[in-house]
Amino acid sequence: MAINPHGTSAGVARYNQLATIFRRRIESGHWAVGERIPTVVELAEEWSVAPATIRQALGLLEEAGLIERYRAKGTFVRRRPQQDLWCEVPTDWNGLLLSPPGIEVELLASDVTAHPPRVEHADGTLAPSYRHWRRRHSRDGRPYYLGDAYIAERWAARITDEQLAENTTLRILKDMPGLRLTTVHQTLTIVMADVELSSELDVPLNSPIARLQRTAVDADGSVVFVGDGMYRGDVVRLDISVHA
């Protein structure tokens, strides 16, 4: 089976494409935990690529701890990616206010008189200027979230670095005296890791990323917060309860 060099995968190295496919085989159980997977030669024949390309793809899975290779025995599935799904993307108001336990927050950048490059939701009127923060969240030294927050300057001037390190942006805004949030929108899409995200979140290029775009509007109809967050897809889960 040859990899199509056209379409959405154009420009992505073949071994990265294959690593994504092999990862999906492990996720789905097609390659079960403890099972020996096909040999490099067999996979090279299946995908019509050079054995070196297969070795590069398997190398990415080995770096992620998904497989183990043994001399003279073969390559075996060590674990499924779902076993790392410990980071929940909040889908309700209470969840949006909570900071996950045991995380470390790095403040990577801070800019004044900034403007959101894009606002996903149409509600509300943009403020004259915003303050921008970029933060990266990690757990046990493993980065899992990279987020940009734009907060209207009127409110941003009251926020301290200590608050940014301990609370979600919406928690900070909800507790701010004089500010009443009336509408919060959240949109989740799945994108692929580009060079920057690959480096910042320590994931292979073209890995799945959950992009979360948020907008908060106050009682005066002003957009006080615009957020653009990226969660690495191998640790995130989304739970939604539907009440009949």
Side-chain angles (χ1 to χ4, degrees), residues 47-207:
W47 293 99
S48 301
V49 297
T53 302
I54 297 295
R55 292 190 188 94
Q56 285 180 291
L58 295 179
L60 294 178
L61 270 62
E62 188 172 29
E63 288 176 9
L66 302 180
I67 62 172
E68 285 185 294
R69 291 188 266 192
Y70 299 94
R71 187 183 300 275
K73 290 184 178 181
T75 302
F76 293 79
V77 177
R78 179 181 178 187
R79 62 175 176 82
R80 295 174 61 193
Q82 285 94 329
Q83 294 173 342
D84 277 345
L85 296 182
W86 50 263
C87 175
E88 291 193 34
V89 173
T91 58
D92 60 10
W93 177 239
N94 289 330
L96 290 171
L97 301 178
L98 296 176
S99 294
I103 67 167
E104 302 89 41
V105 179
E106 298 174 79
L107 182 59
L108 302 180
S110 177
D111 304 299
V112 297
T113 63
H115 294 277
R118 177 184 176 186
V119 181
E120 179 68 19
H121 312 100
D123 289 355
T125 303
L126 288 176
S129 66
Y130 292 79
R131 189 171 299 188
H132 165 241
W133 284 280
R134 168 167 284 198
R135 292 181 292 177
R136 180 170 54 196
H137 296 188
S138 302
R139 183 174 178 179
D140 298 325
R142 186 180 183 186
Y144 71 90
Y145 171 80
L146 181 70
D148 289 288
Y150 295 84
I151 301 176
E153 181 63 37
R154 173 187 176 188
W155 308 105
R158 307 184 190 180
I159 298 175
T160 66
D161 289 348
E162 288 75 20
Q163 287 177 300
L164 290 171
E166 298 174 359
N167 299 280
T168 68
T169 303
L170 288 173
R171 171 90 265 174
I172 296 171
L173 294 177
K174 181 181 183 299
D175 292 342
M176 191 166 290
L179 173 60
R180 184 168 70 89
L181 301 178
T182 57
T183 305
V184 176
H185 287 288
Q186 175 171 264
T187 298
L188 184 145
T189 55
I190 304 300
V191 299
M192 308 304 278
D194 57 17
V195 174
E196 180 185 22
L197 288 174
S198 174
S199 174
E200 293 285 2
L201 294 178
D202 192 24
V203 296
L205 189 67
N206 206 40
S207 297

